[in-house]
Amino acid sequence: MSAGPVPILMYHEVSPVPHPAFRRYTVTPAQFARQMRWLAAVGYHPIDMDTLLRARRAQGVLPTRPVVITFDDGLQGCADYAVPVLRAHGFTAMFYLVAGLAGATSRWLGAELGFELPLMSWETIRGLAAEGFGCGAHTMSHPRLAGLEPGRCRVELVEARRRLEAELGAPVVHLAYPYGAYDRNVQSAARAAGYGTACATRPGLSPADDDLLALHRVSVYGHESLLDFASRLGTGMPLRERLRRAFGGAGRRLAPSPEGRS
């Protein structure tokens, strides 16, 4: 069993042809396959969010070397390229879905970066759920919840959960905040909407006493190496950040880029 910190991996897109404006947040199928092989080789055990929640509530135990694999946004590329790899290893994962845009495109990226990516359809989502993959909420339309008018914040949270439960025929109690944007009011609204966990983008491993409505996560970036991936799994930091901290001023030029989106 494990009572130590748990890495909660955060992916966005998996694609053989990353969009140049989204390269940082896209891993290729080859990269993803190497990462999953590495997890299997060193003895990590992917768990679902229900298992993590039970353990954090002292209602269950974790396996040795647990890891949670999460995907934000519900992009079709993840279903096309990540799911077959997960399936081959017998790994589970959590997909956080923008419930109001299923089967459409990532309109928030159009507004911000000038391009859109296809999102999974409800048929695809139901198929993933039937296989045992987790399906959580990423709001209805992917807004920044912090600072949003309270009534609209409630609608984004409540309606996303309602729509997912109606489509899947199962309870939905896990959430990821778009852009990692939350504050105490957003956390209160999430609690009132019935969510048991909410993932943020606070970088680092999730400790045993982590805030269940602001869980730390480990970002996985397309421009980083397998050594960085391994380093993040163990410490929450890429290799260059570990070196910078270890060697102080001598490693300043290795300083990491800011942690990213959700």
Side-chain angles (χ1 to χ4, degrees), residues 17 19 30 36 46 52 67 69 99 112 159 165 169 171 187 195 200 208:
V17 186
H19 191 285
M36 296 303 103
L52 182 66
V67 61
I69 302 169
E112 294 177 6
E159 287 303 307
E165 290 184 338
Q187 287 180 290
Y195 293 103

Side-chain angles (χ1 to χ4, degrees), residues 7-11 202-205 216-220 232-233 236:
I8 303 177
L9 301 180
M10 177 175 62
Y11 289 92
R202 294 196 293 162
L205 306 182
H216 288 76
R217 282 197 286 180
V218 175
S219 297
V220 182
R232 284 185 180 274
L233 260 292

Side-chain angles (χ1 to χ4, degrees), residues 95-239:
F95 294 88
Y96 290 111
L97 307 161
V98 183
L101 296 176
T105 58
S106 56
R107 294 173 189 166
W108 66 94
L109 289 178
E112 294 177 6
L113 300 176
F115 74 97
E116 299 180 10
L117 296 171
L119 300 175
M120 298 178 200
S121 67
W122 285 116
E123 181 180 6
T124 297
I125 293 166
R126 285 191 288 269
L128 291 177
E131 277 196 70
F133 291 106
C135 294
H138 205 39
T139 71
M140 285 294 286
S141 65
H142 203 281
R144 287 177 171 82
L145 294 173
L148 205 62
E149 190 275 321
R152 186 176 166 210
C153 180
R154 284 194 298 273
V155 168
E156 287 281 346
L157 295 171
V158 171
E159 287 303 307
R161 185 173 179 228
R162 183 198 63 78
R163 181 69 186 275
L164 283 163
E165 290 184 338
E167 293 286 349
L168 299 176
V172 171
V173 297
H174 305 295
L175 168 72
Y177 302 120
Y179 308 101
Y182 73 95
D183 55 24
R184 293 194 178 192
N185 291 332
V186 172
Q187 287 180 290
S188 294
R191 186 179 297 106
Y195 293 103
T197 71
C199 282
T201 57
R202 294 196 293 162
L205 306 182
S206 175
D209 61 351
D210 208 359
D211 185 340
L212 288 175
L213 291 176
L215 293 168
H216 288 76
R217 282 197 286 180
V218 175
S219 297
V220 182
Y221 293 122
H223 63 280
E224 292 187 343
S225 69
L226 188 61
L227 285 175
D228 285 318
F229 178 80
S231 177
R232 284 185 180 274
L233 260 292
T235 67
M237 296 181 289
L239 184 60

